[in-house]
Amino acid sequence: MEKPYNNRAWLMVAPVFALVLFSALLPMMTVVNYSVQDSLGQNQFFWNGDGWFRDLLNPSTEIGARFADALLRNLSFSVVALLIEIPLGIAIALCLPRSGWTIGPLLVIIALPMLIPWNVVGTIWQIFSRADIGLFGAALTRLGLHYNVTQEPISAWCTIVVIDVWHWTPLVILLVYAGLRAIPDAYYQAARIDAASRWATFINIELPKLQKVLVIAVLLRFMETFMIYTEPFVVTGGGPGSATTFLSIDLVKIALGQVDLGSAAAMSLVYNLITLTLCWIFFTIMTQLDRRRYA
Amino acid sequence: MARITLDGIAHSYDARSPNALQRLDHVWEQGRAYALLGPSGCGKTTLLNIISGLITPSEGRVLFDGSDVTHLPTERRNIAQVFQFPVIYDTMTVAGNLAFPLKNRGVERGAIKSRVAEVAALLGLTQDLSRRARGITAEAKQKVSLGRGLVRADVAAILFDEPLTVIDPSLKWQLRSKLKAVHRALDLLMIYVTHDQIEALTFADEVVVMKDGRVLQVATPARLFEQPEHTFVGYFIGSPGMNLVAANVADNVAHVAGHAIELAGRYPSLPDKSTVLGFRPDYASLVPDGGIPVRIRRLEDLGRRRLARVALGPHEIFATVPPDMPIDGEQAGLTIRQDRLFVYANDELVAGNRR
């Protein structure tokens, strides 16, 4: 039987196309549009070619230096956050009981920080870390530590890292815990019979079995830390100086603070491309490792 | 090398629920192969895990060569266990897997190497030694798990928990004969859990039949067939299982559905309701004339022999049809070998007094 072929069927998917057009394509094209033009106001634009991009990617220009610094800052932040959150999440998940009535309440308590919106988290920590009235800040100051979020770059940096760890390690814990629960008991029993140490059991059984959830955890946490905005915006405002001015913060400063639309648009596109590329690299490396093991 | 004694072992997972394993005394002799046979949930795995030390029994003692190991952890008993699903260490090669238990016990390198080579040769894994353990077949993985048990020179017993479950049917036979060969070569105590009677009967010197946490009979495969001590054993072993018909037994005569059947022994008075007469289809045969009148329901030609499903009063039973006997019509007679007729009360075998 011949399949009926009717081009009118395209009409049925037209609404989706329209939706995608308005939700993704048009705003994106606006950015592309800004990135290749210059404006002197009054809605007059003229062609600038790849000028904005060349400035941006050239560290000897003012905007290029800013971008390079922010990128470096952002990358180090992502690396530090991942290096803390992933091992910490695995460690806590390993300590959780495998069964029993305590596990339900425990998981809820662990998941609580994730349920708080970013700007609320920022506000909580903004107050929490104040040296005069904040519990955390005041306690550190009493201990004789030189802690001041608004004046000390190291304090500000550490605070942002601590916020992210506090906010998002629970995600890693939940993912890893689910992965651990999926390992059959026989593996642990065999390990006991083989007299494997706790560490050997972790390295040879748990870690390989966790690989898949860890790919997801690393990807999610990398993307989010690389796009971090709200917490530094609320807590430090990107300062002191530019110590916590991450890419997104800088981007907003350029776009909305200086109304430097061309630079901002070019920066958004490059930023977007970097995120995409890094995620793709992560994903490829981790799945390739997996495939090579199976071969 | 050891004999393992279970002294009054019983276990329940939960104080409120009935015992997963009821009181049991048994001695597992060095160098023999045992099978634990029974339907799912009968307590086979519980018993196995008590021996290996993964479970501490609620009651009783486990003795290895006379010394009490009841509270000794698994890693300090000289036990190897092969699980239902192959357990291998993904991160290592086959050789790494085999060396792992020795490495953990601090055995010196050279000794590990020669021992691994020895065991690999025994199991036919030599050509796979350098391969990643993750990539090999399920059957080879089971061999690797077995090998991890065998490399330890001091291993007292190898426990198998339904090891052929995930093995391709065509390879089951091969792996089973490998196990047999290993058993013969190494003179080890082996305990094999299964719910497959063929596996149990071909593997074991002695079979332990279990049901609902209770051991019903421990005997050689032949004895399980010839003289089942419990109706469940009769029914579970053999294909088709033993015929079991309600009977009234008085002295040396059993009355089944109005027919009198003479027994080999004399029996004391037995409770009417639970008394059952048991005989295997292999020892009941149809005859053209005489015997107990039965009605033929269906014939089953198994190639090597013919079986008839016949009605004996309200009971449906299986009987052998002699090769040369023509079947016409529905009526036939049934004869049963007298020395193969057993009387059970409350499912337990009742011994008759032989004259």
Side-chain angles (χ1 to χ4, degrees):
Chain A
M1 201 184 92
E2 215 167 293
K3 271 188 200 164
Y5 195 85
N6 191 338
N7 272 322
R8 270 177 297 179
W10 287 109
L11 286 177
M12 308 294 250
V13 283
V16 177
F17 274 116
L19 207 70
V20 172
L21 201 69
F22 277 97
S23 72
L25 222 55
L26 284 182
M28 188 82 179
M29 285 320 290
T30 318
V31 176
V32 173
N33 195 25
Y34 283 144
S35 74
V36 292
Q37 300 193 59
D38 201 354
S39 166
L40 297 171
Q42 274 127 27
N43 223 9
Q44 284 180 328
F45 287 92
F46 51 89
W47 182 251
N48 192 25
D50 58 356
W52 297 122
F53 290 95
R54 256 192 276 165
D55 282 353
L56 186 75
L57 298 175
N58 182 358
S60 59
T61 63
E62 192 248 331
I63 184 83
R66 253 175 94 169
F67 178 68
D69 284 350
L71 179 61
L72 197 68
R73 219 173 279 134
N74 213 148
L75 279 175
S76 8
F77 174 73
S78 290
V79 169
V80 169
L82 278 177
L83 281 181
I84 297 175
E85 285 171 25
I86 300 289
L88 184 64
I90 295 174
I92 294 177
L94 284 172
C95 296
L96 291 176
R98 277 175 71 81
S99 56
W101 67 270
T102 48
I103 189 61
L106 265 177
L107 288 179
V108 170
I109 292 171
I110 287 171
L112 271 181
M114 288 199 296
L115 305 178
I116 305 173
W118 286 261
N119 57 344
V120 178
V121 169
T123 312
I124 291 173
W125 279 82
Q126 212 266 333
I127 297 167
F128 195 47
S129 63
R130 280 180 66 153
D132 48 358
I133 55 165
L135 189 62
F136 184 63
L140 287 182
T141 312
R142 284 286 168 80
L143 285 173
L145 288 168
H146 212 62
Y147 178 81
N148 192 327
V149 173
T150 50
Q151 278 161 26
E152 291 288 323
I154 294 177
S155 300
W157 233 83
C158 291
T159 307
I160 302 295
V161 170
V162 168
I163 294 175
D164 199 71
V165 168
W166 176 81
H167 199 180
W168 290 111
T169 304
L171 178 75
V172 181
I173 299 174
L174 292 189
L175 282 170
V176 171
Y177 184 72
L180 284 173
R181 287 290 297 272
I183 302 175
D185 279 340
Y187 280 87
Y188 293 104
Q189 296 175 340
R192 282 180 62 190
I193 289 169
D194 293 337
S197 63
R198 185 69 192 87
W199 176 247
T201 308
F202 173 69
I203 290 295
N204 294 303
I205 294 175
E206 287 164 335
L207 205 54
K209 300 264 174 235
L210 285 179
Q211 202 186 7
K212 289 211 170 77
V213 292
L214 285 180
V215 172
I216 296 172
V218 168
L219 264 180
L220 285 178
R221 285 320 303 139
F222 173 74
M223 281 197 285
E224 289 215 341
T225 51
F226 200 64
M227 300 189 292
I228 188 167
Y229 176 74
T230 320
E231 292 94 328
F233 177 73
V234 176
V235 178
T236 65
S242 58
T244 54
T245 303
F246 299 115
L247 279 175
S248 56
I249 296 227
D250 212 17
L251 183 61
V252 172
K253 275 186 187 166
I254 295 169
L256 303 181
Q258 305 166 206
V259 204
D260 202 347
L261 290 183
S263 289
M267 191 170 164
S268 312
L269 289 177
V270 173
Y271 187 6
N272 198 353
L273 227 77
I274 293 173
T275 315
L276 264 176
T277 314
L278 285 176
C279 286
W280 178 76
I281 291 173
F282 265 126
F283 187 77
T284 314
I285 290 175
M286 295 184 93
T287 46
Q288 281 300 317
L289 271 180
D290 199 46
R291 214 164 293 156
R292 204 169 322 145
R293 272 225 186 102
Y294 269 114
Chain B
M1 307 289 139
R3 70 193 289 202
I4 298 176
T5 310
L6 301 184
D7 178 17
I9 288 293
H11 187 72
S12 80
Y13 286 99
D14 181 345
R16 283 159 299 173
S17 62
N19 281 3
L21 187 67
Q22 288 176 41
R23 211 190 128 86
L24 168 67
D25 295 277
H26 187 67
V27 179
W28 314 87
E29 295 289 350
Q30 148 66 19
R32 288 180 74 80
Y34 294 87
L36 292 180
L37 178 65
S40 301
C42 71
K44 299 169 298 205
T45 301
T46 305
L47 180 54
L48 204 68
N49 287 343
I50 285 174
I51 296 172
S52 65
L54 294 171
I55 295 177
T56 306
S58 341
E59 281 172 49
R61 297 186 308 155
V62 182
L63 308 172
F64 280 24
D65 275 335
S67 62
D68 192 338
V69 298
T70 317
H71 298 284
L72 223 53
T74 305
E75 55 271 27
R76 301 209 8 233
R77 302 182 184 192
N78 304 327
I79 286 283
Q81 190 162 353
V82 179
F83 296 92
Q84 196 167 3
F85 299 98
V87 174
I88 48 136
Y89 301 107
D90 293 343
T91 45
M92 306 177 194
T93 59
V94 170
N97 263 275
L98 293 178
F100 192 58
L102 297 180
K103 238 197 224 157
N104 291 331
R105 286 172 173 81
V107 176
E108 172 255 328
R109 253 163 186 260
I112 294 182
K113 214 173 168 196
S114 63
R115 187 69 190 153
V116 166
E118 218 173 286
V119 168
L122 180 71
L123 293 171
L125 287 170
T126 310
Q127 73 282 6
D128 294 327
L129 276 179
S130 57
R131 289 187 63 186
R132 281 225 163 262
R134 201 170 179 173
I136 60 180
T137 61
E139 175 224 0
K141 281 181 183 172
Q142 275 307 43
K143 281 196 205 165
V144 171
S145 347
L146 171 61
R148 280 207 315 272
L150 295 177
V151 283
R152 286 153 54 196
D154 61 345
V155 77
I158 303 185
L159 313 181
F160 297 92
D161 191 355
E162 307 198 18
L164 302 183
T165 308
V166 293
I167 306 300
D168 195 73
S170 61
L171 295 172
K172 277 189 183 182
W173 186 261
Q174 269 183 38
L175 192 54
R176 201 158 59 217
S177 17
K178 193 91 222 170
L179 294 183
K180 270 300 239 193
V182 167
H183 182 236
R184 270 194 301 272
L186 297 181
D187 187 34
L188 284 168
L189 165 59
M190 288 194 175
I191 305 176
Y192 188 106
V193 162
T194 179
H195 57 247
D196 180 337
Q197 54 160 309
I198 313 242
E199 257 175 60
L201 300 181
T202 51
F203 176 82
D205 302 323
E206 251 183 289
V207 180
V208 178
V209 183
M210 296 182 69
K211 193 190 177 225
D212 299 334
R214 204 157 72 88
V215 171
L216 300 178
Q217 188 173 6
V218 184
T220 60
R223 197 168 164 79
L224 286 182
F225 187 80
E226 298 294 352
Q227 197 165 355
E229 279 170 12
H230 191 278
T231 50
F232 178 78
V233 178
Y235 169 79
F236 196 62
I237 306 246
S239 173
M242 188 178 236
N243 295 311
L244 298 164
V245 292
N248 254 325
V249 176
D251 201 24
N252 67 337
V253 178
H255 294 275
V256 177
H259 305 287
I261 301 173
E262 199 183 329
L263 302 170
R266 291 175 182 284
Y267 291 84
S269 62
L270 292 167
D272 275 358
K273 276 205 176 133
S274 68
T275 306
V276 161
L277 194 63
F279 52 95
R280 294 219 173 262
D282 313 71
Y283 299 120
S285 70
L286 294 186
V287 286
D289 306 300
I292 308 154
V294 291
R295 229 180 56 243
I296 299 172
R297 289 250 172 93
R298 211 166 77 200
L299 273 181
E300 284 176 23
D301 199 333
L302 305 181
R304 202 156 44 86
R305 60 176 179 156
R306 285 190 297 167
L307 279 179
R309 194 193 288 248
V310 301
L312 170 60
H315 310 291
E316 186 162 275
I317 62 168
F318 280 100
T320 305
V321 183
D324 45 356
M325 181 180 154
I327 298 285
D328 47 319
E330 283 199 327
Q331 303 301 321
L334 177 74
T335 58
I336 306 165
R337 255 179 73 174
Q338 207 181 47
D339 59 336
R340 294 288 182 245
L341 263 171
F342 300 100
V343 175
Y344 299 90
N346 289 321
D347 291 330
E348 306 274 355
L349 181 67
V350 183
N353 298 317
R354 301 269 160 162
R355 275 162 297 178

